[in-house]
Amino acid sequence: TTEEIILQSGAERISILDVCHDSGISRGTFYRYFSSQDDLLDAFSRHKRDQFHARLIEATSASQDPDERFQAVLGFIDDYLERSRARRLLLVAPEYATRWFQRIFHDSVHRFQDVLAPVFDAWEERRGIVLDRELIGELMVRFILSDVLVPSGADRRNLMRRMERFVVMLLSGRVARR
């Protein structure tokens, strides 16, 4: 309900009465769980972040092969960008969306590193190298955020291939072709 109201009117104009009405709960029930509008928005942000990462883990947990796991991560990112309403949030509530992206950024980088740890382990062993795992996680999160800000549209599938090529280039030690 909170997401729907934010997407309709923005985060700054969210009404507790609207949330209660649309959720079918009383104000007393609302205040039992949330002390204020800010508390509601913080809880909403945590819920969205945790939901994203739970889905990421679910999408990748079946892949034991490191290369398949990496492909599952790319597929998850592509699916997220296709279905996400983050772009709408950015348009309707830009200040809230920007603060939210900043708050979740470092946590997201670390969660991507955790999900990709078996992939990184295998790549390092195969190639005899040490990867900057934090940098790769950061680049993946920045990729997602950049697509939210500047949608790639129908060309996003090509961007997934380019992201994969970028990682292959990192692993090989080759420079990009010009």
Side-chain angles (χ1 to χ4, degrees):
T1 301
T2 301
E3 182 173 21
E4 292 302 322
I5 291 173
I6 290 172
L7 291 175
Q8 289 172 9
S9 59
E12 290 75 29
R13 291 181 282 188
I14 192 168
S15 161
I16 291 171
L17 290 176
D18 289 344
V19 171
C20 292
H21 178 266
D22 290 1
S23 297
I25 63 170
S26 69
R27 285 180 59 182
T29 300
F30 176 88
Y31 284 109
R32 182 179 309 145
Y33 296 98
F34 307 104
S35 61
S36 65
Q37 176 186 9
D38 288 338
D39 192 26
L40 171 68
L41 292 173
D42 285 344
F44 169 69
S45 294
R46 280 190 309 276
H47 170 73
K48 292 300 285 184
R49 179 200 64 209
D50 292 345
Q51 189 179 46
F52 174 90
H53 294 294
R55 288 182 179 152
L56 174 62
I57 289 168
E58 181 183 318
T60 59
S61 62
S63 302
Q64 296 305 312
D65 177 76
D67 297 323
E68 288 176 13
R69 188 178 189 94
F70 182 68
Q71 290 302 317
V73 168
L74 292 180
F76 173 82
I77 292 170
D78 187 49
D79 186 58
Y80 171 78
L81 291 171
E82 182 71 29
R83 297 173 190 236
S84 173
R85 300 193 313 174
R87 187 172 297 114
R88 173 96 175 111
L89 179 65
L90 188 60
L91 294 172
V92 173
E95 288 180 31
Y96 172 77
T98 302
R99 283 191 315 270
W100 182 63
F101 291 147
Q102 288 170 340
R103 274 199 315 264
I104 67 166
F105 184 83
H106 292 291
D107 180 61
S108 295
V109 169
H110 292 289
R111 290 188 191 215
F112 268 103
Q113 286 179 75
D114 290 345
V115 166
L116 289 169
V119 175
F120 295 152
D121 291 344
W123 289 349
E124 288 177 344
E125 186 177 322
R126 245 187 254 158
R127 306 277 185 179
I129 59 174
V130 176
L131 297 171
D132 186 337
R133 296 172 181 218
E134 185 175 9
L135 178 61
I136 294 172
E138 181 178 331
L139 290 172
M140 294 184 91
V141 173
R142 289 189 184 282
F143 171 81
I144 294 167
L145 293 176
S146 72
D147 196 78
V148 168
L149 184 62
V150 182
S152 54
D155 194 37
R156 189 174 54 256
R157 300 265 188 243
N158 187 37
L159 286 174
M160 289 298 140
R161 285 189 293 277
R162 291 175 64 198
M163 188 177 206
E164 183 178 12
R165 271 188 19 228
F166 174 71
V167 170
V168 168
M169 181 189 72
L170 283 175
L171 293 173
S172 71
R174 292 190 321 244
V175 294
R177 51 189 165 120
R178 293 182 183 216

